[in-house]
Amino acid sequence: QVQLVESGGGAVQAGGSLRLSCVVSGSAFDIADMGWFRQAPGDQRELVARMAPGGTTKYADSVKGRFTISRDSRQKTVTLQMNSLKPEDTNVYYCNLQYRNGFQLWGRGTQVTVSE
């Protein structure tokens, strides 16, 4: 069974840091684009960061310079290091796996809450 399991969400004060992790099981990891998205109630899910198998990254403008995405092929894990967090970063964060043929999977999401 293919699964994406996220961990690392929580509550932090503005200016703090959190580290999200997503472990992939039951699916080929090395050929997948791995990413993190976030979605607030009533809003569309938006891309936060993505990393291609070759290491190319893409970040939302709002997180550039603060968030860093990385991946570990041996652990089949993608990580999002979030620094200098702001209240507007409060959201549910979802791990995403996508192959070039369009097939994609989502994790269940992990809540990140940043207070003033």
Side-chain angles (χ1 to χ4, degrees), residues 69-88:
I69 189 170
S70 60
R71 58 193 292 164
D72 183 330
S73 293
R74 283 186 296 178
Q75 300 294 328
K76 298 182 73 174
T77 299
V78 61
T79 299
L80 184 69
Q81 178 66 43
M82 304 185 294
N83 298 329
S84 302
L85 282 160
K86 304 175 181 180
E88 52 263 43

Side-chain angles (χ1 to χ4, degrees), residues 28-33 53 71 98-100:
F29 179 83
D30 288 346
I31 60 172
D33 288 339
R71 58 193 292 164
Q98 186 166 357
Y99 296 123
R100 297 300 169 92

